[in-house]
Amino acid sequence: MIRPILIHPDPRLKKVCAPVDDISDALRTLADDMFETMYDAPGIGLAGPQIGVMHRVIVMDCKREDTDPSRPIAMFNPRVVASSDETNVYEEGCLSIPEQYAEVTRPKVVDVEWMDVDGALQTETFDGLWATCVQHEIDHLEGKLFIDYLKPLKRQMITRKMQKLKREMARG
Ligand code: NI
């Protein structure tokens, strides 16, 4: 089921999310809904709070080209356990901040630990776009958006654009 995506500014996008306890069918259904919502948008990552679910769950699929094989990953309670000193700059966007993009600097390589849909603990090293994406999504679980890395003026400009967009959407 495709869920509506919250648009910034929204207080739910600024909150720290609660950990998930045990994997359940409800959580597996949630992950399926999040994949469906993400692919429909379309996007390469989605975090719980973006659909109003205040738990530590993210989904990602960072294939670059349509011809690349799909690699959907759902993570519960993901955390970065190591990051490289070397950094990378990517022009980031966010499904909760539509059509706004800005360069963000982050560690180039990160080791991430998470619980998968079967409740098994996983660890993997992510590089490049995958590394940026997983850090961006984990930030969402801390109530942090990519625009929080920008200078205040730029952030305010984007926020005003989003407020205007939300007013237009409310009018229909
Ligand atoms: Ni985002």
Side-chain angles (χ1 to χ4, degrees):
M1 190 177 74
I2 293 169
R3 311 272 197 110
I5 297 174
L6 301 181
I7 304 297
H8 166 75
D10 187 296
R12 286 166 287 183
L13 295 172
K14 302 303 291 176
K15 288 210 170 82
V16 176
C17 294
V20 165
D21 294 329
D22 284 322
I23 298 299
S24 60
D25 283 342
L27 285 176
R28 275 186 277 265
T29 302
L30 170 66
D32 287 345
D33 285 358
M34 286 175 68
F35 278 124
E36 205 180 332
T37 304
M38 178 187 83
Y39 288 126
D40 176 71
I44 59 170
L46 187 73
Q50 291 184 276
I51 55 162
V53 172
M54 305 312 292
H55 281 96
R56 304 187 80 84
V57 50
I58 64 174
V59 297
M60 300 190 299
D61 187 347
C62 297
K63 66 187 186 115
R64 277 164 188 274
E65 311 285 340
D66 285 346
T67 48
D68 287 350
S70 189
R71 194 193 168 202
I73 307 183
M75 298 181 172
F76 300 94
N77 303 338
R79 60 189 192 101
V80 173
V81 291
S83 1
S84 63
D85 291 332
E86 193 186 348
T87 56
N88 224 353
V89 180
Y90 266 107
E91 187 160 76
E92 296 191 22
C94 181
L95 294 177
S96 293
I97 311 174
E99 286 169 39
Q100 302 298 318
Y101 304 92
E103 288 189 340
V104 177
T105 304
R106 299 181 188 269
K108 183 178 179 291
V109 185
V110 288
D111 293 345
V112 179
E113 191 182 88
W114 74 95
M115 194 164 59
D116 70 15
V117 287
D118 299 313
L121 201 61
Q122 302 282 349
T123 313
E124 189 171 325
T125 301
F126 294 98
D127 194 348
L129 181 61
W130 279 94
T132 286
C133 185
V134 75
Q135 291 174 84
H136 174 121
E137 299 312 328
I138 291 174
D139 273 353
H140 272 298
L141 307 180
E142 295 296 325
K144 191 166 184 180
L145 302 171
F146 82 91
I147 57 170
D148 293 327
Y149 291 92
L150 310 180
K151 295 210 169 70
L153 213 61
K154 171 96 176 165
R155 182 165 62 241
Q156 285 157 17
M157 197 184 77
I158 290 177
T159 298
R160 270 188 224 111
K161 278 186 190 164
M162 291 300 103
Q163 284 164 332
K164 184 163 176 272
L165 173 71
K166 287 178 80 170
R167 281 197 300 272
E168 286 166 3
M169 283 163 69
R171 261 186 243 123

